[in-house]
Amino acid sequence: MTTIGIIGAGHIGSQIARTAIETGHDVVISNSRGPETLADLIAELGEHATAATAEQAGAAGDIVVVTVPLKNYREVPVAPLAGKIVIDTNNYYPERDGQIAELDSESATVSGLLQAHLPQSTVVKAFNHIYFGAITDDALPEGTTNRRALAIAGDDDNAKALVAALQNQFGFDTVDAGTLDESWRFERDQPAYVVRQNAVELRANLALAERNKNSQ
Ligand SMILES: NC(=O)c1ccc[n+]([C@@H]2O[C@H](COP(=O)([O-])OP(=O)(O)OC[C@H]3O[C@@H](n4cnc5c(N)ncnc54)[C@H](OP(=O)(O)O)[C@@H]3O)[C@@H](O)[C@H]2O)c1
């Protein structure tokens, strides 16, 4: 059993909490407004869930999931996450997040920005290219034909292996898309983004990804 710290308790954070508890983990979950506002969610999740501040969730997690609107990524507490694997689910929506120059120029990736904000953590991009409801709806046991696959990216192979094992427990195959510099391959508007695909299809879609779309 692992304790998963979750920073962000919205669509994705609460769905990851449900799946994590279903698969035998404990969760410590937080939002921006304070633990007292998470009473309904904790009542639903049961005794393996605790509401906390973002700092407490970060400190408690063996693994920490950051799943806040990208515009708020700089508010993610740095010190409690030091030395930890951090799963980044975030995507860039300028209409929500405002324009971010490094992303507009495609000189950075969403998860690269979080990694720069958390220099002592090991960021793995995961769960960003699946609609939140599908985290439970599309989960299937290991070995099932045509099981859905999810991409991950990161700079540390051990961290990626751990996240792949977690995704397997949650009900998904994993395709390693490479380093954080390569994580644009399953960002928004790329072929692999938010479509149901098995591992073979996902590899093909990652290979079809194109950068410099904005300059074309
Ligand atoms: N929705 C999807 O299907 C989906 C799929 C894949 C990836 N994503 C990406 O995953 C991220 C989260 O998406 P979502 O749909 O779950 O968003 P959401 O429903 O809007 O939830 C965002 C959560 O983040 C919390 N939050 C905001 N700022 C925070 C802070 N500084 N510290 C702690 N918590 C904070 C919010 O808390 P309060 O409510 O208290 O402000 C809320 O619980 C986004 O980047 C999104 O693009 C979404």
Side-chain angles (χ1 to χ4, degrees):
M1 188 209 301
T2 305
T3 297
I4 302 182
I6 305 180
I7 298 178
H11 294 97
I12 287 281
S14 55
Q15 199 70 350
I16 285 180
R18 289 183 186 100
T19 298
I21 288 170
E22 187 82 8
T23 54
H25 302 283
D26 286 341
V27 304
V28 180
I29 188 163
S30 60
N31 63 5
S32 76
R33 285 166 294 151
E36 65 284 357
T37 65
L38 292 168
D40 289 350
L41 180 64
I42 298 300
E44 177 207 325
L45 293 172
E47 60 182 355
H48 289 284
T50 310
T53 64
E55 285 77 8
Q56 289 165 339
D62 301 309
I63 298 176
V64 180
V65 179
V66 171
T67 184
V68 300
L70 181 64
K71 65 179 177 183
N72 293 352
Y73 83 90
R74 286 190 192 83
E75 297 168 8
V76 172
V78 176
L81 275 56
K84 299 193 179 189
I85 294 170
V86 173
I87 293 177
D88 177 29
T89 79
N90 296 330
N91 292 306
Y92 176 39
Y93 284 86
E95 57 272 35
R96 177 193 66 193
D97 301 318
Q99 300 298 144
I100 299 176
E102 307 96 294
L103 299 179
D104 290 338
S105 65
E106 300 186 338
S107 60
T109 61
V110 169
S111 295
L113 294 181
L114 185 67
Q115 181 65 83
H117 175 67
L118 302 172
Q120 292 175 280
S121 306
T122 304
V123 172
V124 178
K125 187 177 195 68
F127 297 109
N128 75 299
H129 72 124
I130 180 168
Y131 179 65
F132 72 98
I135 292 176
T136 48
D137 290 350
D138 285 357
L140 288 169
E142 185 177 4
T144 307
T145 304
N146 200 33
R147 190 189 201 203
R148 185 166 179 169
L150 298 176
I152 59 171
D155 297 340
D156 183 294
D157 286 342
N158 291 331
K160 284 195 285 192
L162 217 141
V163 175
L166 192 66
Q167 291 197 156
N168 188 37
Q169 285 178 13
F170 282 13
F172 300 93
D173 288 342
T174 292
V175 171
D176 184 349
T179 63
L180 288 183
D181 280 349
E182 292 291 312
S183 61
W184 60 269
R185 289 184 177 278
F186 54 105
E187 285 183 353
R188 185 185 178 185
D189 295 338
Q190 296 295 351
Y193 192 67
V194 193
V195 290
R196 192 202 185 285
Q197 55 221 301
N198 63 31
V200 171
E201 293 163 341
L202 176 51
R203 281 191 197 92
N205 280 334
L206 290 169
L208 286 172
E210 280 181 45
R211 225 169 183 196
N212 304 314
K213 284 184 171 182
N214 294 344
S215 57
Q216 285 172 2

mmCIF file of all heavy atoms in Angstrom, residues 7-13 30-34 37 54 67-70 72 75-76 89-93 96 127-133 193, ligand 1:
data_model
loop_
_atom_site.group_PDB
_atom_site.id
_atom_site.type_symbol
_atom_site.label_atom_id
_atom_site.label_comp_id
_atom_site.label_asym_id
_atom_site.label_seq_id
_atom_site.Cartn_x
_atom_site.Cartn_y
_atom_site.Cartn_z
ATOM 1 N N ILE A 7 -2.715 16.901 -4.954
ATOM 2 C CA ILE A 7 -2.864 18.357 -4.891
ATOM 3 C C ILE A 7 -3.783 18.757 -6.032
ATOM 4 O O ILE A 7 -3.402 18.713 -7.200
ATOM 5 C CB ILE A 7 -1.481 19.050 -4.961
ATOM 6 C CG1 ILE A 7 -0.638 18.619 -3.755
ATOM 7 C CG2 ILE A 7 -1.663 20.572 -5.016
ATOM 8 C CD1 ILE A 7 0.761 19.196 -3.723
ATOM 9 N N GLY A 8 -5.025 19.087 -5.676
ATOM 10 C CA GLY A 8 -6.096 19.305 -6.652
ATOM 11 C C GLY A 8 -7.130 18.219 -6.473
ATOM 12 O O GLY A 8 -6.819 17.027 -6.587
ATOM 13 N N ALA A 9 -8.365 18.631 -6.172
ATOM 14 C CA ALA A 9 -9.423 17.663 -5.862
ATOM 15 C C ALA A 9 -10.606 17.841 -6.807
ATOM 16 O O ALA A 9 -11.749 17.633 -6.430
ATOM 17 C CB ALA A 9 -9.863 17.838 -4.415
ATOM 18 N N GLY A 10 -10.312 18.233 -8.041
ATOM 19 C CA GLY A 10 -11.367 18.443 -9.023
ATOM 20 C C GLY A 10 -11.676 17.166 -9.777
ATOM 21 O O GLY A 10 -11.644 16.066 -9.220
ATOM 22 N N HIS A 11 -11.958 17.314 -11.075
ATOM 23 C CA HIS A 11 -12.354 16.164 -11.879
ATOM 24 C C HIS A 11 -11.307 15.048 -11.812
ATOM 25 O O HIS A 11 -11.624 13.896 -11.538
ATOM 26 C CB HIS A 11 -12.543 16.591 -13.339
ATOM 27 C CG HIS A 11 -13.692 17.530 -13.527
ATOM 28 N ND1 HIS A 11 -13.537 18.890 -13.595
ATOM 29 C CD2 HIS A 11 -15.012 17.286 -13.639
ATOM 30 C CE1 HIS A 11 -14.717 19.449 -13.757
ATOM 31 N NE2 HIS A 11 -15.636 18.499 -13.777
ATOM 32 N N ILE A 12 -10.064 15.405 -12.086
ATOM 33 C CA ILE A 12 -9.023 14.373 -12.147
ATOM 34 C C ILE A 12 -8.570 13.951 -10.748
ATOM 35 O O ILE A 12 -8.445 12.761 -10.457
ATOM 36 C CB ILE A 12 -7.818 14.890 -12.976
ATOM 37 C CG1 ILE A 12 -8.187 14.928 -14.464
ATOM 38 C CG2 ILE A 12 -6.583 14.057 -12.752
ATOM 39 C CD1 ILE A 12 -8.142 13.603 -15.175
ATOM 40 N N GLY A 13 -8.359 14.907 -9.869
ATOM 41 C CA GLY A 13 -7.866 14.563 -8.534
ATOM 42 C C GLY A 13 -8.817 13.632 -7.793
ATOM 43 O O GLY A 13 -8.388 12.635 -7.190
ATOM 44 N N SER A 30 -6.097 17.383 -1.357
ATOM 45 C CA SER A 30 -6.174 18.807 -1.008
ATOM 46 C C SER A 30 -6.724 19.617 -2.170
ATOM 47 O O SER A 30 -6.676 19.183 -3.321
ATOM 48 C CB SER A 30 -4.773 19.318 -0.660
ATOM 49 O OG SER A 30 -3.911 19.158 -1.772
ATOM 50 N N ASN A 31 -7.225 20.806 -1.837
ATOM 51 C CA ASN A 31 -7.635 21.754 -2.875
ATOM 52 C C ASN A 31 -7.109 23.132 -2.478
ATOM 53 O O ASN A 31 -6.255 23.236 -1.599
ATOM 54 C CB ASN A 31 -9.156 21.707 -3.085
ATOM 55 C CG ASN A 31 -9.934 22.136 -1.853
ATOM 56 O OD1 ASN A 31 -9.350 22.570 -0.852
ATOM 57 N ND2 ASN A 31 -11.236 22.008 -1.909
ATOM 58 N N SER A 32 -7.627 24.186 -3.103
ATOM 59 C CA SER A 32 -7.111 25.519 -2.759
ATOM 60 C C SER A 32 -7.870 26.144 -1.600
ATOM 61 O O SER A 32 -7.390 27.080 -0.972
ATOM 62 C CB SER A 32 -7.177 26.446 -3.984
ATOM 63 O OG SER A 32 -8.498 26.880 -4.221
ATOM 64 N N ARG A 33 -9.074 25.632 -1.306
ATOM 65 C CA ARG A 33 -9.945 26.319 -0.337
ATOM 66 C C ARG A 33 -9.823 25.781 1.078
ATOM 67 O O ARG A 33 -10.372 26.368 2.003
ATOM 68 C CB ARG A 33 -11.402 26.215 -0.805
ATOM 69 C CG ARG A 33 -11.730 27.125 -1.970
ATOM 70 C CD ARG A 33 -13.040 26.741 -2.606
ATOM 71 N NE ARG A 33 -12.956 25.431 -3.229
ATOM 72 C CZ ARG A 33 -13.976 24.590 -3.382
ATOM 73 N NH1 ARG A 33 -15.152 24.915 -2.926
ATOM 74 N NH2 ARG A 33 -13.796 23.423 -3.979
ATOM 75 N N GLY A 34 -9.173 24.618 1.242
ATOM 76 C CA GLY A 34 -9.002 24.099 2.592
ATOM 77 C C GLY A 34 -9.703 22.776 2.802
ATOM 78 O O GLY A 34 -10.725 22.492 2.172
ATOM 79 N N THR A 37 -13.557 21.965 3.105
ATOM 80 C CA THR A 37 -14.441 22.004 1.928
ATOM 81 C C THR A 37 -14.477 20.657 1.205
ATOM 82 O O THR A 37 -15.181 20.503 0.211
ATOM 83 C CB THR A 37 -13.986 23.099 0.939
ATOM 84 O OG1 THR A 37 -12.695 22.755 0.425
ATOM 85 C CG2 THR A 37 -13.928 24.463 1.602
ATOM 86 N N ALA A 54 -2.508 21.532 0.837
ATOM 87 C CA ALA A 54 -1.596 21.064 -0.207
ATOM 88 C C ALA A 54 -0.235 20.688 0.386
ATOM 89 O O ALA A 54 0.383 19.689 -0.008
ATOM 90 C CB ALA A 54 -1.443 22.135 -1.281
ATOM 91 N N THR A 67 -2.521 18.086 -9.831
ATOM 92 C CA THR A 67 -3.615 18.124 -10.793
ATOM 93 C C THR A 67 -4.488 19.350 -10.546
ATOM 94 O O THR A 67 -5.633 19.259 -10.150
ATOM 95 C CB THR A 67 -4.381 16.768 -10.797
ATOM 96 O OG1 THR A 67 -5.366 16.826 -11.814
ATOM 97 C CG2 THR A 67 -4.942 16.372 -9.452
ATOM 98 N N VAL A 68 -3.841 20.506 -10.749
ATOM 99 C CA VAL A 68 -4.489 21.813 -10.591
ATOM 100 C C VAL A 68 -4.517 22.469 -11.969
ATOM 101 O O VAL A 68 -3.789 22.054 -12.866
ATOM 102 C CB VAL A 68 -3.694 22.701 -9.603
ATOM 103 C CG1 VAL A 68 -3.608 22.029 -8.236
ATOM 104 C CG2 VAL A 68 -2.301 23.044 -10.123
ATOM 105 N N PRO A 69 -5.344 23.487 -12.168
ATOM 106 C CA PRO A 69 -5.240 24.218 -13.431
ATOM 107 C C PRO A 69 -3.805 24.728 -13.616
ATOM 108 O O PRO A 69 -3.196 25.223 -12.656
ATOM 109 C CB PRO A 69 -6.233 25.374 -13.250
ATOM 110 C CG PRO A 69 -7.178 24.903 -12.183
ATOM 111 C CD PRO A 69 -6.362 24.040 -11.272
ATOM 112 N N LEU A 70 -3.302 24.605 -14.824
ATOM 113 C CA LEU A 70 -1.893 24.943 -15.049
ATOM 114 C C LEU A 70 -1.552 26.357 -14.582
ATOM 115 O O LEU A 70 -0.451 26.599 -14.074
ATOM 116 C CB LEU A 70 -1.556 24.772 -16.543
ATOM 117 C CG LEU A 70 -0.110 25.062 -16.923
ATOM 118 C CD1 LEU A 70 0.846 24.079 -16.260
ATOM 119 C CD2 LEU A 70 0.057 25.044 -18.437
ATOM 120 N N ASN A 72 -2.069 27.741 -12.042
ATOM 121 C CA ASN A 72 -1.738 27.770 -10.612
ATOM 122 C C ASN A 72 -0.516 26.915 -10.258
ATOM 123 O O ASN A 72 -0.253 26.701 -9.078
ATOM 124 C CB ASN A 72 -2.930 27.276 -9.783
ATOM 125 C CG ASN A 72 -4.104 28.228 -9.848
ATOM 126 O OD1 ASN A 72 -3.981 29.329 -10.388
ATOM 127 N ND2 ASN A 72 -5.241 27.823 -9.327
ATOM 128 N N GLU A 75 1.883 27.756 -7.470
ATOM 129 C CA GLU A 75 1.411 27.723 -6.075
ATOM 130 C C GLU A 75 1.654 26.359 -5.425
ATOM 131 O O GLU A 75 1.451 26.197 -4.224
ATOM 132 C CB GLU A 75 -0.097 28.036 -6.025
ATOM 133 C CG GLU A 75 -0.445 29.428 -6.523
ATOM 134 C CD GLU A 75 -1.938 29.632 -6.737
ATOM 135 O OE1 GLU A 75 -2.749 28.750 -6.366
ATOM 136 O OE2 GLU A 75 -2.293 30.682 -7.310
ATOM 137 N N VAL A 76 2.057 25.383 -6.206
ATOM 138 C CA VAL A 76 2.299 24.043 -5.648
ATOM 139 C C VAL A 76 3.492 24.128 -4.694
ATOM 140 O O VAL A 76 4.547 24.654 -5.074
ATOM 141 C CB VAL A 76 2.578 23.030 -6.783
ATOM 142 C CG1 VAL A 76 3.015 21.682 -6.214
ATOM 143 C CG2 VAL A 76 1.346 22.883 -7.666
ATOM 144 N N THR A 89 -0.505 15.817 -14.165
ATOM 145 C CA THR A 89 -1.609 15.541 -15.100
ATOM 146 C C THR A 89 -1.946 16.752 -15.968
ATOM 147 O O THR A 89 -2.910 16.708 -16.733
ATOM 148 C CB THR A 89 -2.908 15.179 -14.336
ATOM 149 O OG1 THR A 89 -3.522 16.385 -13.846
ATOM 150 C CG2 THR A 89 -2.669 14.216 -13.192
ATOM 151 N N ASN A 90 -1.196 17.825 -15.828
ATOM 152 C CA ASN A 90 -1.688 19.112 -16.305
ATOM 153 C C ASN A 90 -1.575 19.299 -17.810
ATOM 154 O O ASN A 90 -0.681 18.757 -18.463
ATOM 155 C CB ASN A 90 -0.949 20.241 -15.586
ATOM 156 C CG ASN A 90 -1.245 20.222 -14.099
ATOM 157 O OD1 ASN A 90 -2.311 19.807 -13.693
ATOM 158 N ND2 ASN A 90 -0.285 20.635 -13.297
ATOM 159 N N ASN A 91 -2.487 20.125 -18.312
ATOM 160 C CA ASN A 91 -2.509 20.503 -19.725
ATOM 161 C C ASN A 91 -2.647 22.011 -19.823
ATOM 162 O O ASN A 91 -3.099 22.667 -18.883
ATOM 163 C CB ASN A 91 -3.690 19.822 -20.438
ATOM 164 C CG ASN A 91 -3.505 18.324 -20.521
ATOM 165 O OD1 ASN A 91 -2.490 17.841 -21.009
ATOM 166 N ND2 ASN A 91 -4.472 17.574 -20.013
ATOM 167 N N TYR A 92 -2.304 22.515 -20.988
ATOM 168 C CA TYR A 92 -2.316 23.958 -21.240
ATOM 169 C C TYR A 92 -3.543 24.352 -22.042
ATOM 170 O O TYR A 92 -3.687 23.916 -23.195
ATOM 171 C CB TYR A 92 -1.031 24.322 -21.997
ATOM 172 C CG TYR A 92 -0.901 25.764 -22.432
ATOM 173 C CD1 TYR A 92 -1.315 26.829 -21.623
ATOM 174 C CD2 TYR A 92 -0.317 26.067 -23.670
ATOM 175 C CE1 TYR A 92 -1.159 28.145 -22.037
ATOM 176 C CE2 TYR A 92 -0.161 27.374 -24.079
ATOM 177 C CZ TYR A 92 -0.584 28.414 -23.265
ATOM 178 O OH TYR A 92 -0.425 29.712 -23.683
ATOM 179 N N TYR A 93 -4.398 25.145 -21.397
ATOM 180 C CA TYR A 93 -5.560 25.721 -22.077
ATOM 181 C C TYR A 93 -5.468 27.236 -21.910
ATOM 182 O O TYR A 93 -5.835 27.756 -20.839
ATOM 183 C CB TYR A 93 -6.868 25.180 -21.485
ATOM 184 C CG TYR A 93 -7.162 23.768 -21.947
ATOM 185 C CD1 TYR A 93 -6.640 22.667 -21.276
ATOM 186 C CD2 TYR A 93 -7.939 23.548 -23.078
ATOM 187 C CE1 TYR A 93 -6.892 21.372 -21.724
ATOM 188 C CE2 TYR A 93 -8.197 22.253 -23.531
ATOM 189 C CZ TYR A 93 -7.672 21.187 -22.844
ATOM 190 O OH TYR A 93 -7.919 19.916 -23.296
ATOM 191 N N ARG A 96 -8.109 29.265 -20.246
ATOM 192 C CA ARG A 96 -8.202 29.109 -18.789
ATOM 193 C C ARG A 96 -6.937 29.607 -18.093
ATOM 194 O O ARG A 96 -7.001 30.235 -17.036
ATOM 195 C CB ARG A 96 -8.408 27.620 -18.452
ATOM 196 C CG ARG A 96 -8.442 27.300 -16.960
ATOM 197 C CD ARG A 96 -8.316 25.792 -16.704
ATOM 198 N NE ARG A 96 -7.004 25.294 -17.102
ATOM 199 C CZ ARG A 96 -6.692 23.998 -17.238
ATOM 200 N NH1 ARG A 96 -7.618 23.070 -17.014
ATOM 201 N NH2 ARG A 96 -5.479 23.649 -17.600
ATOM 202 N N PHE A 127 -1.553 10.576 -16.930
ATOM 203 C CA PHE A 127 -2.990 10.817 -16.741
ATOM 204 C C PHE A 127 -3.442 12.172 -17.302
ATOM 205 O O PHE A 127 -4.483 12.687 -16.905
ATOM 206 C CB PHE A 127 -3.386 10.747 -15.249
ATOM 207 C CG PHE A 127 -3.161 9.409 -14.621
ATOM 208 C CD1 PHE A 127 -2.152 9.223 -13.693
ATOM 209 C CD2 PHE A 127 -3.944 8.325 -14.989
ATOM 210 C CE1 PHE A 127 -1.927 7.975 -13.117
ATOM 211 C CE2 PHE A 127 -3.728 7.076 -14.412
ATOM 212 C CZ PHE A 127 -2.716 6.907 -13.481
ATOM 213 N N ASN A 128 -2.682 12.747 -18.232
ATOM 214 C CA ASN A 128 -3.106 14.029 -18.808
ATOM 215 C C ASN A 128 -3.930 13.846 -20.068
ATOM 216 O O ASN A 128 -4.620 14.768 -20.483
ATOM 217 C CB ASN A 128 -1.898 14.893 -19.155
ATOM 218 C CG ASN A 128 -1.217 14.388 -20.416
ATOM 219 O OD1 ASN A 128 -0.746 13.248 -20.427
ATOM 220 N ND2 ASN A 128 -1.180 15.180 -21.464
ATOM 221 N N HIS A 129 -3.851 12.653 -20.687
ATOM 222 C CA HIS A 129 -4.534 12.515 -21.982
ATOM 223 C C HIS A 129 -5.652 11.483 -21.900
ATOM 224 O O HIS A 129 -5.895 10.718 -22.818
ATOM 225 C CB HIS A 129 -3.529 12.223 -23.119
ATOM 226 C CG HIS A 129 -2.932 10.853 -23.104
ATOM 227 N ND1 HIS A 129 -3.012 9.986 -24.171
ATOM 228 C CD2 HIS A 129 -2.249 10.202 -22.150
ATOM 229 C CE1 HIS A 129 -2.404 8.862 -23.868
ATOM 230 N NE2 HIS A 129 -1.926 8.963 -22.653
ATOM 231 N N ILE A 130 -6.345 11.534 -20.764
ATOM 232 C CA ILE A 130 -7.544 10.706 -20.575
ATOM 233 C C ILE A 130 -8.602 11.571 -19.901
ATOM 234 O O ILE A 130 -8.310 12.287 -18.934
ATOM 235 C CB ILE A 130 -7.217 9.436 -19.752
ATOM 236 C CG1 ILE A 130 -8.480 8.584 -19.557
ATOM 237 C CG2 ILE A 130 -6.546 9.764 -18.419
ATOM 238 C CD1 ILE A 130 -8.201 7.184 -19.013
ATOM 239 N N TYR A 131 -9.819 11.517 -20.437
ATOM 240 C CA TYR A 131 -10.945 12.225 -19.833
ATOM 241 C C TYR A 131 -11.172 11.647 -18.437
ATOM 242 O O TYR A 131 -11.104 10.423 -18.246
ATOM 243 C CB TYR A 131 -12.178 12.040 -20.724
ATOM 244 C CG TYR A 131 -13.427 12.692 -20.221
ATOM 245 C CD1 TYR A 131 -13.525 14.081 -20.124
ATOM 246 C CD2 TYR A 131 -14.519 11.922 -19.842
ATOM 247 C CE1 TYR A 131 -14.674 14.685 -19.652
ATOM 248 C CE2 TYR A 131 -15.685 12.520 -19.373
ATOM 249 C CZ TYR A 131 -15.755 13.902 -19.276
ATOM 250 O OH TYR A 131 -16.898 14.485 -18.805
ATOM 251 N N PHE A 132 -11.478 12.505 -17.478
ATOM 252 C CA PHE A 132 -11.461 12.045 -16.079
ATOM 253 C C PHE A 132 -12.356 10.825 -15.833
ATOM 254 O O PHE A 132 -11.965 9.879 -15.144
ATOM 255 C CB PHE A 132 -11.800 13.195 -15.120
ATOM 256 C CG PHE A 132 -13.237 13.639 -15.127
ATOM 257 C CD1 PHE A 132 -14.126 13.173 -14.167
ATOM 258 C CD2 PHE A 132 -13.702 14.529 -16.080
ATOM 259 C CE1 PHE A 132 -15.453 13.576 -14.171
ATOM 260 C CE2 PHE A 132 -15.030 14.938 -16.098
ATOM 261 C CZ PHE A 132 -15.912 14.460 -15.150
ATOM 262 N N GLY A 133 -13.541 10.823 -16.441
ATOM 263 C CA GLY A 133 -14.468 9.714 -16.190
ATOM 264 C C GLY A 133 -13.931 8.377 -16.684
ATOM 265 O O GLY A 133 -14.259 7.303 -16.132
ATOM 266 N N TYR A 193 -3.925 12.599 -27.909
ATOM 267 C CA TYR A 193 -4.595 13.335 -26.828
ATOM 268 C C TYR A 193 -6.053 12.898 -26.662
ATOM 269 O O TYR A 193 -6.863 13.035 -27.585
ATOM 270 C CB TYR A 193 -4.509 14.831 -27.108
ATOM 271 C CG TYR A 193 -4.893 15.705 -25.936
ATOM 272 C CD1 TYR A 193 -4.108 15.737 -24.787
ATOM 273 C CD2 TYR A 193 -6.029 16.487 -25.974
ATOM 274 C CE1 TYR A 193 -4.457 16.529 -23.706
ATOM 275 C CE2 TYR A 193 -6.384 17.294 -24.899
ATOM 276 C CZ TYR A 193 -5.591 17.304 -23.767
ATOM 277 O OH TYR A 193 -5.932 18.089 -22.698
HETATM 278 N N1 LIG B 1 -10.918 17.178 -16.639
HETATM 279 C C1 LIG B 1 -10.284 16.237 -17.353
HETATM 280 O O1 LIG B 1 -10.903 15.298 -17.897
HETATM 281 C C2 LIG B 1 -8.772 16.305 -17.462
HETATM 282 C C3 LIG B 1 -8.128 15.214 -18.080
HETATM 283 C C4 LIG B 1 -6.733 15.174 -18.111
HETATM 284 C C5 LIG B 1 -5.999 16.241 -17.593
HETATM 285 N N2 LIG B 1 -6.653 17.316 -17.050
HETATM 286 C C6 LIG B 1 -5.812 18.416 -16.536
HETATM 287 O O2 LIG B 1 -5.581 18.157 -15.147
HETATM 288 C C7 LIG B 1 -5.585 19.397 -14.420
HETATM 289 C C8 LIG B 1 -6.732 19.388 -13.432
HETATM 290 O O3 LIG B 1 -7.945 19.287 -14.181
HETATM 291 P P1 LIG B 1 -9.380 19.122 -13.502
HETATM 292 O O4 LIG B 1 -10.328 18.972 -14.619
HETATM 293 O O5 LIG B 1 -9.316 18.110 -12.424
HETATM 294 O O6 LIG B 1 -9.537 20.584 -12.858
HETATM 295 P P2 LIG B 1 -10.700 21.084 -11.896
HETATM 296 O O7 LIG B 1 -11.855 20.165 -11.914
HETATM 297 O O8 LIG B 1 -10.913 22.528 -12.219
HETATM 298 O O9 LIG B 1 -10.034 20.974 -10.444
HETATM 299 C C9 LIG B 1 -8.904 21.711 -10.099
HETATM 300 C C10 LIG B 1 -8.583 21.445 -8.646
HETATM 301 O O10 LIG B 1 -7.341 22.086 -8.350
HETATM 302 C C11 LIG B 1 -7.498 22.738 -7.096
HETATM 303 N N3 LIG B 1 -6.511 23.800 -6.982
HETATM 304 C C12 LIG B 1 -6.398 24.923 -7.710
HETATM 305 N N4 LIG B 1 -5.345 25.634 -7.305
HETATM 306 C C13 LIG B 1 -4.789 24.938 -6.268
HETATM 307 C C14 LIG B 1 -3.704 25.158 -5.408
HETATM 308 N N5 LIG B 1 -2.938 26.244 -5.550
HETATM 309 N N6 LIG B 1 -3.428 24.241 -4.448
HETATM 310 C C15 LIG B 1 -4.205 23.151 -4.304
HETATM 311 N N7 LIG B 1 -5.249 22.880 -5.110
HETATM 312 C C16 LIG B 1 -5.539 23.766 -6.074
HETATM 313 C C17 LIG B 1 -8.927 23.242 -7.097
HETATM 314 O O11 LIG B 1 -9.316 23.543 -5.787
HETATM 315 P P3 LIG B 1 -10.484 24.608 -5.494
HETATM 316 O O12 LIG B 1 -11.726 24.070 -6.124
HETATM 317 O O13 LIG B 1 -10.536 24.659 -4.004
HETATM 318 O O14 LIG B 1 -10.025 25.901 -6.112
HETATM 319 C C18 LIG B 1 -9.625 21.994 -7.650
HETATM 320 O O15 LIG B 1 -9.828 21.051 -6.638
HETATM 321 C C19 LIG B 1 -5.699 20.504 -15.465
HETATM 322 O O16 LIG B 1 -4.423 20.931 -15.844
HETATM 323 C C20 LIG B 1 -6.398 19.796 -16.623
HETATM 324 O O17 LIG B 1 -6.136 20.429 -17.864
HETATM 325 C C21 LIG B 1 -8.016 17.363 -16.956
#
